[in-house]
Amino acid sequence: MTQEARPAGVFSADTEHGWRAAFPPARWLRTYQPRWLANDAIAGVTLAAYGIPVSLAYASLAGLPPQYGVYCYLVGGLFYALFGSSRQLAIGPTSAISMLVGVTVGAMAGNDPERWAGIAALTALLIAVMCVLAWLLRLSSLVNFISETILLGFKAGAAFTIALTQLPKLFGVKGGGEDFLERLVILAGQIPDTNLAVLAFGLVALALLLLAEKYLPGRPAALFVVVASIVVLSVTSLGDLGFKVVGALPQGLPTFKLPGLRVRDVQGVVPLAFACLLLSYVESVSAARALAEAHNYEIDPRQEFLGLGAANLGAGLFQAYPVAGGLSQSSVNDKAGAKTPLALVFASITIGLCLMFLAGGLKNLPNVVLAAIVLVAVKGLVNISEMKRLWRVSRYEFAVSMIAFVAVLLLGILNGVIVAVLASLMLLIGRVARPHVAILGRIPGTRKFSDIERNPDNTLVPGTLIFRVDAAMLYFNVDHVHESVRRMLHSAPDKPKLVICDLSTSPQVDLAAAKMLLKLHREMEQAGIRLRMVAAHAPVRDILRAEGLEESLGYFGRRISVADVVDEFEGTKMAGAPATGLAPA
């Protein structure tokens, strides 16, 4: 592959060791080409133009002054560029994490703005610590335990929850309420008090944003809408019609500041940090993988812990709140031509210059425009087509997704995250605790056997029952396997004389499974039925032999198949077929 097609080839899992393995710039800077500098610079400026208005909107979700959202983009991207493995991922505040911080920190802070900001920064620092621990313990594979099915419902629930917090701004009413249903009831009661001027202004902003999203993808349309709205309110008398505005931002860069709180001072901050870490890592890695696949390179999921940890460390130390990599801002960065993480550095420089020289220009920015930006952004969290596909493919998984959706609406985003994690684990445990136990039949014209339920043209071997457990056999599923085999025996039209257990799809067994098979053997022996096992994997053979099953049941190693045992049973064993009494292999 050429360097043009893959400018940062060393981003993939390669042979680098030592400090270079944990510090990606030491690798990609060696292959950096001067002509990429213009691409990264343009992408950085474009990302900044997109990120500033979006971050202002997300800061309101987090319950923080608008500049805190801008600080997230400024320091988050800069620190991620030092340790992240993706070359297009853009780091900043996201809608779900901002909402999670807003609804959770409010109760902890007691409406004290200084304490609110301190808790948000402390949460970011905790995330950084958790990320480093996860990196040291190599926990990147744990993200796979959170199913896409659960995330689909969670994201949709988060989108509805976030949208409902913004609708009062769109209608120009006060809003209120602590949960989704209460907010909905209060908003419905305030609809008659709608400020028509604010609503019309917001609908125009929404229309412009949606049109730009469709016809000008990747362009910083939000910046145009923000600038246009500021100009309109500055040169007309619309500001006298009840518009609420952001006000001037503090001029200058954020200063280094340690949170004035300790973890033990804030009850509930650890679960909040864990929930934010889970959301940020899943969202960031998903976006990074999608971009890497489009550009034909690989990311390092473990390294992403360091990248996110560094980004949140910067956020916690420079007056921001938890950050993550989002697909929307990353797509803007990618479509603008970003070649390496240097684009994030240019974005931070651009944002820093704006804070130093243009912060006062935002004082007439109406809040309804920020609400419109959030509403358009969270629209992407609701994937209707994927829900339809899930309904068509698996009603069970669709129901699980809806559990996560309802949990977020009724219990809030933090509890919704917890329910989503538990539901994912329950889904996983449910699948492995009740594995499919197949009855095998002979494939016509062959010596092979497969699931007769899926292949009705297969033929059963008279006088036998052949079964296969399509999973590892472990302590939590052996009772299910045992009962399944007993039901097969009871439902058989004729009492079988031989039962064959095909272990080819059971890569692991534990002592509980070995004891279950021995118990099954004794039960069958009392009923005059012989039990045989075949095609056991090496680790499985070791455990079963240690429990003495080979002495009781006969050889079950790699040299014997279902067909061999059936041939022996039928007395028509083919010439040259291995005997069942072969020495263990």
Side-chain angles (χ1 to χ4, degrees), residues 307-512:
L308 283 175
N312 279 283
L313 176 65
L317 294 177
F318 288 93
Q319 304 178 51
Y321 64 94
V323 295
L327 185 57
S328 56
Q329 61 256 39
S330 300
S331 296
V332 171
N333 191 37
D334 178 36
K335 291 175 181 177
K339 297 293 184 183
T340 70
L342 197 58
L344 301 183
V345 177
F346 281 110
S348 294
I349 292 173
T350 304
I351 292 171
L353 291 173
C354 290
L355 285 172
M356 293 173 66
F357 301 108
L358 302 176
L362 295 171
K363 65 179 181 180
N364 286 329
L365 172 61
N367 285 335
V368 67
V369 170
L370 297 182
I373 292 173
V374 172
L375 290 171
V376 172
V378 300
K379 176 179 65 68
L381 296 177
V382 184
N383 194 334
I384 299 297
S385 61
E386 186 64 18
M387 288 183 179
K388 289 180 178 178
R389 188 192 68 83
L390 203 62
W391 172 264
R392 185 177 67 256
V393 174
S394 173
R395 300 291 173 86
Y396 172 73
E397 294 208 26
F398 178 82
V400 171
S401 181
M402 289 301 100
I403 289 174
F405 173 74
V406 174
V408 173
L409 293 185
L410 298 183
L411 304 178
I413 290 185
L414 178 57
N415 290 330
V417 172
I418 296 172
V419 169
V421 172
L422 292 177
S424 284
L425 294 177
M426 292 297 292
L427 179 62
L428 176 65
I429 292 171
R431 285 176 171 172
V432 297
R434 299 181 62 84
H436 177 59
V437 182
I439 297 177
L440 306 185
R442 179 183 280 136
I443 301 174
T446 73
R447 299 183 74 245
K448 297 180 179 180
F449 293 77
S450 63
D451 188 350
I452 199 165
E453 183 179 350
R454 297 181 65 87
N455 304 279
D457 59 329
N458 286 3
T459 56
L460 295 173
V461 178
T464 70
L465 170 66
I466 308 170
F467 74 91
R468 183 187 69 207
V469 181
D470 293 335
M473 286 192 284
L474 304 170
Y475 66 95
F476 49 78
N477 64 19
V478 293
D479 288 341
H480 170 75
V481 174
H482 187 209
E483 288 304 314
S484 297
V485 175
R486 293 181 66 179
R487 284 196 300 270
M488 292 173 182
L489 289 170
H490 291 152
S491 60
D494 298 311
K495 177 184 175 182
K497 297 179 180 179
L498 173 69
V499 173
I500 304 174
C501 174
D502 180 1
L503 293 169
S504 63
T505 55
S506 298
Q508 289 180 306
V509 300
D510 61 5
L511 290 177

Side-chain angles (χ1 to χ4, degrees), residues 1-23:
M1 181 176 296
T2 65
Q3 279 191 323
E4 180 60 28
R6 186 179 176 177
V10 291
F11 274 87
S12 61
D14 52 24
T15 57
E16 293 284 358
H17 299 287
W19 67 274
R20 285 189 177 88
F23 189 65

Side-chain angles (χ1 to χ4, degrees), residues 206-387:
L206 268 175
L208 291 174
L209 291 168
L210 291 172
L211 288 171
E213 184 179 65
K214 182 176 181 179
Y215 296 107
L216 297 171
R219 301 290 191 272
L223 181 63
F224 168 78
V225 174
V226 164
V227 172
S229 64
I230 292 173
V231 171
V232 170
L233 257 69
S234 299
V235 301
T236 69
S237 59
L238 280 177
D240 300 329
L241 299 179
F243 281 81
K244 293 184 178 180
V245 296
V246 169
L249 301 186
Q251 193 164 349
L253 301 177
T255 57
F256 179 89
K257 182 180 180 182
L258 286 172
L261 299 167
R262 294 169 294 183
V263 173
R264 65 187 182 189
D265 296 333
V266 187
Q267 186 176 4
V269 72
V270 174
L272 171 61
F274 177 75
C276 288
L277 169 61
L278 183 64
L279 282 179
S280 64
Y281 186 75
V282 170
E283 188 170 5
S284 299
V285 171
S286 298
R289 280 177 171 164
L291 292 165
E293 184 176 348
H295 290 275
N296 199 20
Y297 70 95
E298 296 178 3
I299 64 158
D300 182 350
R302 183 187 175 215
Q303 183 66 30
E304 286 304 291
F305 274 124
L306 275 189
L308 283 175
N312 279 283
L313 176 65
L317 294 177
F318 288 93
Q319 304 178 51
Y321 64 94
V323 295
L327 185 57
S328 56
Q329 61 256 39
S330 300
S331 296
V332 171
N333 191 37
D334 178 36
K335 291 175 181 177
K339 297 293 184 183
T340 70
L342 197 58
L344 301 183
V345 177
F346 281 110
S348 294
I349 292 173
T350 304
I351 292 171
L353 291 173
C354 290
L355 285 172
M356 293 173 66
F357 301 108
L358 302 176
L362 295 171
K363 65 179 181 180
N364 286 329
L365 172 61
N367 285 335
V368 67
V369 170
L370 297 182
I373 292 173
V374 172
L375 290 171
V376 172
V378 300
K379 176 179 65 68
L381 296 177
V382 184
N383 194 334
I384 299 297
S385 61
E386 186 64 18
M387 288 183 179

